[in-house]
Amino acid sequence: MGILSDFEDRIASGIEGLFAGAFRSPVQPVEIARSLARAADDGRVLGVGTVYAPGSYTVALSPEDDAQLGTFKPVLAGELATYLIDHAHERGYHLSARPQVSFAVHDDLRLGRFRVSASLAEQPAEDDGPAVRLPDAPTGECDLATVTVGDIAHDVALNGDEVIVGRLAECQIRLSDVNVSRRHAAFIRLEEGWAISDLDSTNGTYVNGRDVDHARLSDGDVVEIGLTRLIYHAPKG
């Protein structure tokens, strides 16, 4: 885990100072800021000579933490947006507009736990499609394997016998990233579980940091395709 730069320390200190004594939740603003910065890094998209940063961020809190935050949410959202602007400038990312930070309540989160998600607020001009195009998640099923794609707001269910990942519009999981081949890799259903297979991609497919042609997946395995991390989750049923 990296260490915050002096610049980030000053931003964190400012946020903590602003809310000291008023925000007593175990979730602290500086930790939210760190997570948003990681979401910006993980969600960046390569254009033609430009790296685009996500413009829309959601912070999910437990009901208890949301109640503790209360009326400070608009002020904190503004402070976090400013932090993200400075983070983008430091990293050389392009922002098409001021980042939008919103809060949501997730009943599955316990006191002191939170998660963030990020997405592009609008499509970069050079791209001919969305940064990430995902299949619709089915409803009412709990025995499907899923993958977390970057830091989107929900996991993606693996349906059928094969789920293709690549740049083409017909891919079930489409990643608009010049490091990703048109048909880069495929999630393959096995008799028990799933595997990932590289489809002769240019830049390779990695599982837990290891370059693979074909690998059976276990719960929590991290698949890296281009700049995107896809975390595999085995069926719960």
Side-chain angles (χ1 to χ4, degrees), residues 45-46 52 96 120-132 174 176:
V45 173
L46 284 179
Y52 295 91
S96 57
L120 290 175
E122 60 182 57
Q123 183 58 35
E126 296 98 331
D127 291 345
D128 58 358
V132 180
R174 184 188 180 210
S176 184

Side-chain angles (χ1 to χ4, degrees), residues 184-185 196-215 222-226:
H184 193 109
I196 187 75
S197 290
D198 186 79
L199 301 178
D200 295 323
S201 68
T202 300
N203 294 315
T205 299
Y206 295 80
V207 175
N208 300 328
R210 180 172 59 91
D211 190 3
V212 301
D213 293 324
H214 181 88
V222 178
V223 178
E224 293 179 80
I225 295 177

